[in-house]
Amino acid sequence: MSTPRTGRRTRVTAVSAALIVIAAIVIVVLVLLRDDPDDTSPDAAESSLTTTLIEQRDLTEYLEIDGTLDYEGTVTLAARSDGSLIHLAAEGTVVGRGESIYLILDPPTEAETAAALAEVASAQDSLMVAEDDLSNARAGPSDADMAAARADVATAIEARDELIAAPTVSEIRTAEAAVAVAAEALEHLDNPTDAARAQARSDLAAAQEQLAQLIAGATRAEIDSAKANLVTAQEALAELLAEPSEAEIESAEAAVAIAWERLREELQCCSTDAEIDELRAVLLTAEEALDELLAGPTEAEVDEAEAQVLAAQEALDGLTDGPSDAEIGDAEAQVLAAQETLDLLDNPTEATRAQARADLAAASEALSDLRAGPSDAEIDAANAAILVAEEALADLLAPASETELATLTAAVQSAEAGLNAAEANWADLSQSQHSLIVLYGNMPAYRTMEPETSGDDVRQLQENLVELGYLDREQRVADGVFDEATAAAVQRWQQDVGHRVDATVGTADVLFVDGPVQIGPWSAGIEVGQDLPAGTTLASLTVIESPTGGVMATTQRVAANLPLGDRDLVSEGIIVDVELPDGTDVEGTVVAINPSPVADPATGENVVELTIQLHSPASAVWIGASVMVEITETLIADALVVPATALIALVEGGSAVEVLADDGSARLIGVETGLFVDGDVEVLSPELEAGMRVVVPR
């Protein structure tokens, strides 16, 4: 609530009647005093009067209203990334440019982990390849490399020789046969014979009959025949596995004995050699039969017999189970193919004829190429391939030069540096602590700033890097272009603040505010060590300074309500005095006046809302306290001012003041009156000047 603390401005029109009455009384009193017969001396007259000096000063009016001291505004601080909160500045802490507000342990995402590990693996592979290249250059080519290089040379020479060699009779005949086949196929399409059509119909009928037989299934006779074949195979297997009988063994032994007996008889008589050889063969056959009978069947015989049983069983199962889907599909495909062949003969399409002509042309061209031999270009290409293979072989045979070894050594060192960087990046990623750094500026961080980006946000970043000493103020102008110099400065800054050194500044890295911020109370439930999702509200931030006229100034403000009747006393930009609760005074400037009056909730009077910016900060202990605002308005500058009671109303009209000379004499001087303010009045007369003494009636 705002209430006036002293008298309001007084206008001439409002008090002129009262002043005339007062002046008349003053005149009467003066006349009576002057006519007093008991005191006629100048000293006595002067002692009975009250006088004052005419002042030359600003004629001002004063007004005091109540206000409240606070800061201009607050900013809500929220976590910019997921992670565990491991530090948050304490309440009341003031955080300036380049300082950290909070620190979050930021675990990497699965994608970041995979990318970092892939980078390490790729760097390891590059190092391995570089080391192998250097080792091979020092050791020279292996036997396998030499053999492969020589084989490449031989292959290239062989390919060239084959290219330039004349075609064989067989190759010519094969090419001619291909031409003939293509010509015959085209002829059949253009002029199909009755025999070809008949054969196509026959093939179609046979395919359809085979499909019908598959669908109809096996006949009773086929099934009975398959069963009989199975029984025969099973009986043969059983006979093969059965032990020989005593009678079979005795019969075989008897056959051997008879063969021996006949051989002995023939040897004792005069038999010919041929007869004896025949008897010996009979004996050998009998002995083999006996041995086979005693030894039993061989594994091969048993396997063959079992295979015959299995085949007979499968044949029977195939007949009883019916055809499979694959068999029916094959049969249907054969029917379709036969139908297409017949249709092609009866009604060949233009596309088919075109394909046949293309096949004939290709076969004819191949035959022509074969007869003509290779072109000069083909021979040159073959010779070039030989040259390349020979040069590769020569490179293997030649030892590596010092320059080549130096280059390969540098490649190894570069690969090692790449691996170290990848491993360091992985280490940083696995132990990533993310801090939010305060920087000054009125544009929020809304994107990732990185090399080749540009804009006002980049210029704002550069200005902070200059102020923090990472960019040379003399050599580098903040132009809003993220160039190499800016990237180098960002990397140095990241190294110092503990951020990942990657020359990129994201929205989770910095908080742009107008000036230093004071940490407000932490949000309910916020504790160090807890896991936070991005966007969690942590605390309120109050900007305590902001740039004004190129320098940082306090953002402390006084909010006050001015009575609507005194609206003409203030304007934006005027200086006021603010009295703090401890009695100290601070100057301020009226920076905003709400053009729309509002009702004071306490008094119901219409008031105008004022915002006053302090010139210097008050103690933070008075934030939120009530203060007194004293508004002083200069109504007239360098005015001649006397008390209003010094005016004398003249009978003929107008006003005058009674001026006392140094010798005590008095005289009336007519004046024009100006503005009346708080009991004083401006007087205008060429005869008056500051310092004159005028009479003020008691």
Side-chain angles (χ1 to χ4, degrees):
M1 179 182 73
S2 299
T3 57
R5 307 296 292 265
T6 63
R8 298 291 195 275
R9 220 171 4 172
T10 306
R11 304 300 182 191
V12 174
T13 55
V15 297
S16 57
L19 288 176
I20 293 173
V21 173
I22 292 171
I25 294 173
V26 169
I27 293 172
V28 172
V29 171
L30 289 175
V31 171
L32 291 175
L33 288 173
R34 289 175 182 172
D35 293 339
D36 186 353
D38 296 331
D39 191 359
T40 59
S41 68
D43 293 338
E46 185 175 353
S47 64
S48 64
L49 298 176
T50 299
T51 63
T52 187
L53 298 178
I54 298 176
E55 297 179 328
Q56 186 169 10
R57 59 179 172 83
D58 294 343
L59 192 60
T60 58
E61 184 171 11
Y62 300 92
L63 178 67
E64 292 181 350
I65 57 177
D66 290 335
T68 302
L69 178 64
D70 207 340
Y71 286 106
E72 184 175 15
T74 60
V75 177
T76 299
L77 173 64
R80 299 290 186 91
S81 60
D82 298 336
S84 298
L85 180 67
I86 59 178
H87 169 72
L88 177 61
E91 179 181 350
T93 303
V94 175
V95 183
R97 189 200 314 262
E99 297 177 345
S100 172
I101 294 182
Y102 67 65
L103 192 60
I104 288 180
L105 186 62
D106 188 12
T109 64
E110 292 183 3
E112 290 173 334
T113 299
L117 292 176
E119 183 183 8
V120 171
S122 176
Q124 289 173 337
D125 291 342
S126 297
L127 177 58
M128 185 180 300
V129 170
E131 290 176 338
D132 288 344
D133 291 342
L134 178 59
S135 177
N136 292 336
R138 287 172 174 168
S142 64
D143 294 340
D145 291 337
M146 294 294 296
R150 291 191 176 97
D152 290 341
V153 173
T155 300
I157 293 174
E158 183 180 354
R160 191 273 313 275
D161 292 344
E162 289 180 358
L163 183 66
I164 62 177
T168 64
V169 175
S170 176
E171 289 173 335
I172 294 292
R173 288 178 178 174
T174 300
E176 290 174 343
V179 172
V181 169
E184 183 178 357
L186 179 60
E187 179 63 24
H188 284 171
L189 285 175
D190 289 338
N191 300 293
T193 63
D194 293 339
R197 288 194 178 94
Q199 182 62 46
R201 293 189 186 94
S202 176
D203 293 341
L204 176 60
Q208 290 172 334
E209 183 179 357
Q210 182 181 2
L211 176 61
Q213 289 176 354
L214 278 175
I215 295 174
T219 63
R220 174 53 58 185
E222 290 173 333
I223 294 174
D224 290 343
S225 176
K227 288 180 178 179
N229 291 338
L230 176 59
V231 170
T232 299
Q234 290 172 337
E235 289 176 350
L237 177 60
E239 289 178 0
L240 192 62
L241 296 175
E243 295 290 336
S245 64
E246 291 293 333
E248 290 175 330
I249 294 174
E250 290 176 355
S251 175
E253 290 174 342
V256 172
I258 292 171
W260 272 109
E261 183 64 27
R262 290 186 61 189
L263 179 58
R264 279 195 295 270
E265 290 176 354
E266 290 296 330
L267 289 173
Q268 292 175 359
C269 65
C270 298
S271 300
T272 63
D273 291 339
E275 291 173 336
I276 292 173
D277 290 340
E278 182 179 354
L279 289 174
R280 284 175 176 164
V282 171
L283 175 60
L284 180 60
T285 301
E287 288 175 340
E288 290 176 349
L290 177 60
D291 292 339
E292 290 177 358
L293 189 63
L294 294 175
T298 64
E299 291 183 3
E301 291 173 334
V302 174
D303 290 342
E304 183 179 359
E306 289 176 344
Q308 290 177 350
V309 171
L310 181 61
Q313 184 66 55
E314 289 178 349
L316 177 60
D317 292 342
L319 290 175
T320 56
D321 293 343
S324 65
D325 292 340
E327 290 173 331
I328 293 178
D330 290 342
E332 290 175 340
Q334 291 176 0
V335 171
L336 181 60
Q339 184 65 58
E340 289 177 350
T341 300
L342 180 58
D343 292 342
L344 193 60
L345 290 173
D346 288 340
N347 299 294
T349 64
E350 187 56 38
T352 305
R353 289 192 177 95
Q355 183 60 49
R357 294 189 192 99
D359 293 342
L360 177 58
S364 300
E365 184 178 357
L367 178 59
S368 298
D369 291 343
L370 194 61
R371 287 172 173 166
S375 65
D376 292 340
E378 291 173 330
I379 294 174
D380 290 342
N383 288 327
I386 294 174
L387 181 60
V388 169
E390 290 175 341
E391 288 177 349
L393 177 59
D395 290 341
L396 283 177
L397 294 173
S401 66
E402 291 297 327
T403 301
E404 291 172 334
L405 290 176
T407 301
L408 293 174
T409 301
V412 171
Q413 294 171 347
S414 176
E416 289 174 343
L419 178 58
N420 291 335
E423 290 175 343
N425 183 51
W426 164 242
D428 291 343
L429 186 65
S430 59
Q431 297 180 352
S432 177
Q433 293 182 352
H434 215 100
S435 59
L436 183 65
I437 306 298
V438 168
L439 297 179
Y440 293 169
N442 56 17
M443 175 174 287
Y446 68 95
R447 61 170 177 170
T448 297
M449 291 174 282
E450 57 189 350
E452 299 184 3
T453 58
S454 62
D456 290 339
D457 53 343
V458 176
R459 179 181 295 104
Q460 186 172 260
L461 173 64
Q462 292 171 328
E463 291 170 349
N464 280 273
L465 293 173
V466 168
E467 293 297 328
L468 293 172
Y470 295 100
L471 272 178
D472 192 323
R473 186 187 302 272
E474 301 299 328
Q475 299 179 1
R476 186 67 175 83
V477 177
D479 57 4
V481 178
F482 203 122
D483 54 10
E484 292 183 0
T486 304
V490 168
Q491 288 176 324
R492 291 192 295 272
W493 170 72
Q494 289 175 328
Q495 182 69 37
D496 288 347
V497 301
H499 281 181
R500 189 179 307 162
V501 181
D502 56 6
T504 62
V505 181
T507 57
D509 299 328
V510 294
L511 174 67
F512 284 110
V513 288
D514 286 341
V517 292
Q518 186 175 49
I519 308 297
W522 292 9
S523 298
I526 296 299
E527 296 179 355
V528 171
Q530 70 180 132
D531 291 334
L532 299 175
T536 302
T537 300
L538 301 179
S540 61
L541 304 179
T542 300
V543 180
I544 63 173
E545 289 184 353
S546 64
T548 301
V551 297
M552 299 299 290
T554 180
T555 62
Q556 288 181 355
R557 300 287 191 271
V558 173
N561 289 339
L562 176 73
L564 183 58
D566 296 314
R567 170 63 181 84
D568 57 348
L569 282 178
V570 297
S571 59
E572 290 186 7
I574 68 170
I575 307 300
V576 299
D577 186 72
V578 177
E579 183 179 344
L580 301 176
D582 61 356
T584 58
D585 292 334
V586 181
E587 284 191 340
T589 300
V590 176
V591 294
I593 302 175
N594 190 338
S596 301
V598 297
D600 189 315
T603 64
E605 296 179 358
N606 287 331
V607 294
V608 177
E609 296 173 334
L610 305 182
T611 301
I612 301 164
Q613 180 181 0
L614 298 187
H615 292 178
S616 59
S619 173
V621 300
W622 302 125
I623 297 300
S626 294
V627 297
M628 184 183 299
V629 179
E630 183 178 284
I631 301 172
T632 302
E633 182 184 19
T634 299
L635 302 177
I636 302 175
D638 293 331
L640 292 177
V641 180
V642 298
T645 53
L647 292 177
I648 300 173
L650 300 177
V651 176
E652 63 272 20
S655 300
V657 293
E658 185 176 10
V659 179
L660 292 179
D662 292 338
D663 58 2
S665 60
R667 64 189 181 96
L668 292 178
I669 297 177
V671 297
E672 292 183 13
T673 58
L675 194 63
F676 289 81
V677 177
D678 293 335
D680 293 332
V681 61
E682 178 190 14
V683 290
L684 304 172
S685 171
E687 300 182 45
L688 296 180
E689 61 183 20
M692 289 181 172
R693 187 173 295 277
V694 296
V695 175
V696 180
R698 293 179 180 176

